[in-house]
Amino acid sequence: MSTVSIIVPCYNESESLPIFYREAAKILNSLDEEYELIFVNDGSSDDTLSQLRELSNKDNHVVYLSFSRNFGKEAAMFAGFCNSSGDYVAVMDADLQDPPALLPDMLKILKSGEYDSVATRRTSRAGEPPIRSWFAKRFYQLINRISDADIVDGARDFRLMKRDMVEAIIAMNEYNRFSKGIFGWVGFRTYWLPYENMERIAGKTKWNFWKLMKYAVDGIISFSQAPLSIASCFGIMMTVCSFLFLILIIARRLMFGDPVAGWASTICVIIFIGGLQLLCIGIIGQYLAKTYMETKHRPHYIISESNKKSIDKIR
Ligand code: UDP
Ligand code: MG
């Protein structure tokens, strides 16, 4: 018999948690495998933590790790991976957008031995604002073109993996974590399981348009150096152009003695080049900021409370 670990990041999920637990426990009990349900309380301000304490008293499959503050979903998933012991490990949302009913099939696929991971992707973006879908599509096209993180459009974080893959993910110790990219980067044989998009069962999503935008920029910066190359290309192009322009001006001066040059065009060129320089400095700044955070070697998360004794409290 093998062991399955299910990692569930929870941030203010008191409304969805009881429904999720009921559903997940029903499916997991029917699996005929050992399992642990690892809930990571990501600094919730509602009563998520007290609900988790209660659940862990009632059910000894339940492990909870409670952060000292909100560290974000990426940190919550990382803490789950670091403190999981299963031969098979899954990550899923607490809002039933990742249906636990898929778990038996996912496990069967892994046990057949051909794959190391079963990942899910939603086939539709129903219920999402069209502008968000449009930006999401462009993001996936762009990041796949300019990076070696292989990301499928509509991919969710919901996936079941074998232990080897989980160890590889833990070994990627970077501070700026972008799991969608990390899952692709480590490789392994992945089976993609499509399913219809589900609406959140209760509570509210933690994302808004600008947070998603920042997430996209972080993803690109974490997995691609293309923006830096583009900035350098601009620089080279501008240098060549200005050199040609200089030759033109000298030639004109020598041949025609043309003394008056346009003020407006000069200002335009100055503003254009100034803007371009600021853009390129901004791009470099983004990378520098990430490098700065990496060099500090701050912990990814701090656990202030748990019902499990032997855990990595700070990592
Ligand atoms: N989450 C978290 N920390 C955060 C934000 C979200 O642990 O700072 C959890 C949240 O509780 C949920 C999952 O991450 O279980 C996905 O969040 P959400 O449902 O808001 O995202 P969406 O499904 O809309 O992409
Ligand atoms: Mg959700």
Side-chain angles (χ1 to χ4, degrees):
M1 205 192 273
S2 40
T3 314
V4 182
S5 303
I6 309 286
I7 298 165
V8 191
C10 306
Y11 178 51
N12 294 341
E13 295 287 4
S14 65
E15 283 174 57
S16 336
L17 204 57
I19 313 171
F20 172 84
Y21 170 74
R22 219 179 312 130
E23 186 73 15
K26 193 177 78 193
I27 302 286
L28 288 165
N29 284 326
S30 72
L31 274 184
D32 200 27
E33 305 278 354
E34 282 289 317
Y35 72 88
E36 55 176 359
L37 255 172
I38 307 176
F39 291 98
V40 185
N41 172 37
D42 186 11
S44 304
S45 52
D46 61 4
D47 70 340
T48 300
L49 177 58
S50 53
Q51 283 193 29
L52 290 177
R53 284 192 198 117
E54 244 169 72
L55 281 181
S56 69
N57 285 334
K58 261 193 348 212
D59 181 349
N60 54 15
H61 291 111
V62 172
V63 174
Y64 72 88
L65 312 169
S66 184
F67 284 177
S68 61
R69 64 168 172 86
N70 177 253
F71 280 88
K73 185 184 175 187
E74 292 290 341
M77 290 196 286
F78 186 62
F81 289 137
C82 293
N83 292 294
S84 67
S85 56
D87 309 303
Y88 301 96
V89 180
V91 191
M92 54 202 309
D93 284 10
D95 55 12
L96 286 184
Q97 275 190 304
D98 304 330
L102 293 179
L103 283 170
D105 282 342
M106 293 165 88
L107 194 62
K108 213 179 283 166
I109 293 170
L110 286 195
K111 286 200 159 176
S112 76
E114 199 152 329
Y115 295 96
D116 302 301
S117 140
V118 181
T120 57
R121 53 178 278 266
R122 39 185 192 167
T123 48
S124 75
R125 289 182 166 272
E128 193 180 69
I131 177 111
R132 184 179 295 184
S133 303
W134 189 86
F135 272 106
K137 279 226 160 61
R138 299 293 88 72
F139 166 71
Y140 286 114
Q141 277 173 353
L142 181 68
I143 196 161
N144 280 317
R145 192 169 302 162
I146 64 176
S147 78
D148 45 11
D150 185 17
I151 305 180
V152 173
D153 185 4
R156 304 227 6 127
D157 289 336
F158 178 31
R159 56 167 76 211
L160 184 70
M161 291 165 278
K162 284 192 182 161
R163 190 78 229 163
D164 286 347
M165 183 162 172
V166 175
E167 292 300 331
I169 291 167
I170 295 173
M172 288 185 74
N173 201 30
E174 60 218 72
Y175 184 78
N176 297 289
R177 296 186 77 77
F178 181 67
S179 283
K180 281 188 175 37
I182 291 176
F183 293 148
W185 195 92
V186 294
F188 292 95
R189 296 160 304 173
T190 300
Y191 182 92
W192 285 96
L193 193 68
Y195 74 99
E196 277 290 318
N197 191 32
M198 306 260 192
E199 297 277 339
R200 191 173 235 289
I201 192 86
K204 277 203 298 273
T205 176
K206 277 84 198 171
W207 293 95
N208 60 37
F209 185 78
W210 292 111
K211 275 192 180 166
L212 281 172
M213 209 57 165
K214 186 176 172 298
Y215 181 67
V217 171
D218 284 351
I220 289 171
I221 294 201
S222 294
F223 279 90
S224 169
Q225 275 112 46
L228 285 175
S229 312
I230 294 169
S232 319
C233 283
F234 274 147
I236 293 168
M237 259 159 45
M238 282 294 145
T239 315
V240 172
C241 285
S242 63
F243 189 68
L244 293 177
F245 200 54
L246 187 76
I247 293 174
L248 185 79
I249 290 171
I250 294 174
R252 236 169 59 162
R253 174 79 180 84
L254 292 178
M255 284 193 279
F256 309 110
D258 188 9
V260 193
W263 178 83
S265 56
T266 313
I267 293 295
C268 282
V269 170
I270 290 175
I271 292 176
F272 175 65
I273 294 182
L276 211 58
Q277 278 175 338
L278 286 181
L279 173 73
C280 294
I281 292 175
I283 292 173
I284 296 169
Q286 289 283 337
Y287 282 89
L288 191 64
K290 296 278 177 221
T291 314
Y292 178 59
M293 288 312 289
E294 293 291 344
T295 55
K296 285 183 180 232
H297 296 297
R298 284 187 180 162
H300 296 85
Y301 64 83
I302 300 168
I303 294 176
S304 59
E305 185 187 324
S306 171
N307 63 330
K308 201 173 160 185
K309 291 278 166 319
S310 53
I311 52 164
D312 258 346
K313 279 202 154 182
I314 300 174
R315 176 146 172 178

